[in-house]
């Protein structure tokens, strides 16, 4: 139940803030070049258990991808499900997923030289949603889905900050707004910094990342939270 806020300027230029929700018992490695043989030049935040990535970037190719879980409408047995961890890594190498997929549902946000889009797989259908210029938000449903409480609550606030291209320090502005959202209890359905256990999932917010994709390349910074589902100690 991760969250991404993205501001698309034009084709190949975008800036985003991504919050990762995961089981705290599932170990991970901070941003780094963890796959030098299979994915040369790629950096990402690595899941140690499956070896894949939640967020990955290929600076030389000006590509970035973020993986978010999505509910299935199919009934794929767990024993037959393939890890989704390769999706972001393959994406930044220019290889997007093609249906059918032996995977549980996902939203894969892709930014590249041709633009930004979301590929959504629900276990039956793979859909593409282009991301138009402007500020948008996605979690476990569709892009800008106002039935998702955190999108309804906070997308207008992020949009009110204006285009990131006009801000000399958009990351500080967006991070300050993210910090203000943490005034909500982490269990609140409107929260971005989340504790999903009351909703039936073991996941909690563990980190956030800011990224920009421009003609100059890709810049990514990751920040671990001091403890799961807590902005401050």
């Amino acid at each position: 139940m991760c969250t991404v806020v993205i501001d698309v300027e034009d084709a190949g230029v975008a800036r985003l803030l991504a919050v990762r929700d995961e089981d705290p018992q599932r170990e991970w490695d901070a941003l780094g070049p963890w796959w030098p043989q299979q994915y040369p030049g790629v950096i990402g935040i690595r899941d140690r258990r499956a070896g894949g990535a939640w967020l990955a970037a290929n600076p030389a190719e000006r590509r970035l991808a973020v993986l978010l879980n999505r509910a299935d409408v199919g009934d794929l047995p767990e024993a037959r499900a393939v890890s989704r961890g390769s999706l972001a890594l393959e994406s930044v190498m220019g290889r997007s997923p093609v249906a059918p997929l032996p995977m549980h549902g996902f939203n894969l946000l892709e930014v590249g030289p041709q633009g930004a889009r979301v590929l959504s797989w629900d276990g039956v259908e793979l859909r593409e949603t282009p991301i138009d210029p402007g500020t948008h938000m996605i979690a476990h449903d569709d892009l800008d889905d106002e039935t998702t409480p955190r999108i309804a609550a906070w997308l207008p606030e992020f949009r009110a900050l204006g285009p990131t291209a006009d801000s000399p320090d958009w990351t500080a502005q967006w991070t300050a707004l993210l910090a203000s959202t943490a005034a909500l209890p982490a269990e609140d359905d409107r929260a971005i910094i989340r504790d999903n256990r009351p909703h039936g999932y073991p996941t909690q917010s563990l980190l956030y990342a800011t990224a920009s994709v421009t003609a100059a390349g890709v810049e990514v910074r990751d920040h671990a939270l001091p403890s799961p589902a807590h902005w401050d100690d």
Side-chain angles (χ1 to χ4, degrees):
M1 297 179 73
C2 306
T3 307
V4 176
V5 187
I6 182 170
D7 178 33
V8 175
E9 184 177 344
D10 54 32
V13 180
R15 300 166 187 87
L16 64 82
L17 169 69
V19 178
R20 186 187 188 200
D21 298 346
E22 184 53 88
D23 185 341
Q25 301 304 311
R26 188 160 183 155
E27 296 183 331
W28 53 278
D29 291 306
L31 187 72
W34 301 109
W35 310 270
Q37 303 303 320
Q38 190 172 5
Y39 301 106
V42 170
I43 57 174
I45 296 171
R46 181 175 67 171
D47 172 59
R48 290 184 186 174
R49 183 185 301 176
W54 163 69
L55 176 151
N58 186 337
E61 298 294 329
R62 294 169 49 212
R63 295 183 182 275
L64 182 140
V66 185
L67 177 66
L68 304 91
N69 290 349
R70 185 184 180 103
D72 289 334
V73 299
D75 188 21
L76 178 65
E78 196 65 40
R80 291 174 49 202
V82 174
S83 171
R84 293 164 287 195
S86 64
L87 290 168
L89 294 167
E90 289 289 314
S91 171
V92 299
M93 297 298 290
R95 300 188 289 265
S96 298
V98 177
L101 294 155
M103 298 175 176
H104 290 306
F106 61 80
N107 286 323
L108 180 66
L109 186 148
E110 298 184 319
V111 182
Q114 304 307 313
R117 66 178 182 173
V118 176
L119 295 176
S120 299
W121 170 250
D122 62 8
V124 174
E125 180 185 14
L126 183 66
R127 294 186 291 111
E128 176 185 358
T129 304
I131 306 179
D132 296 328
T135 301
H136 305 271
M137 195 168 176
I138 190 166
H140 55 279
D141 288 314
D142 291 339
L143 185 73
D144 300 337
D145 192 333
E146 293 186 354
T147 66
T148 304
R150 79 194 88 156
I151 292 178
W154 297 109
L155 180 55
E157 301 292 328
F158 278 99
R159 284 178 169 167
L161 294 176
T164 53
D166 296 343
S167 172
D169 193 357
W170 70 272
T171 57
Q173 284 188 309
W174 279 32
T175 302
L177 180 52
L178 177 63
S180 75
T181 73
L184 288 171
E187 301 84 2
D188 193 307
D189 235 359
R190 299 167 297 169
I192 297 177
I193 303 300
R194 302 184 60 79
D195 183 345
N196 295 306
R197 291 175 296 179
H199 304 288
Y201 305 94
T203 56
Q204 301 176 67
S205 296
L206 303 181
L207 66 96
Y208 71 95
T210 56
S212 62
V213 182
T214 67
V218 180
E219 180 179 347
V220 187
R221 295 183 180 179
D222 60 327
H223 312 265
L225 298 182
S227 59
H230 288 79
W231 184 260
D232 298 308
D233 286 322

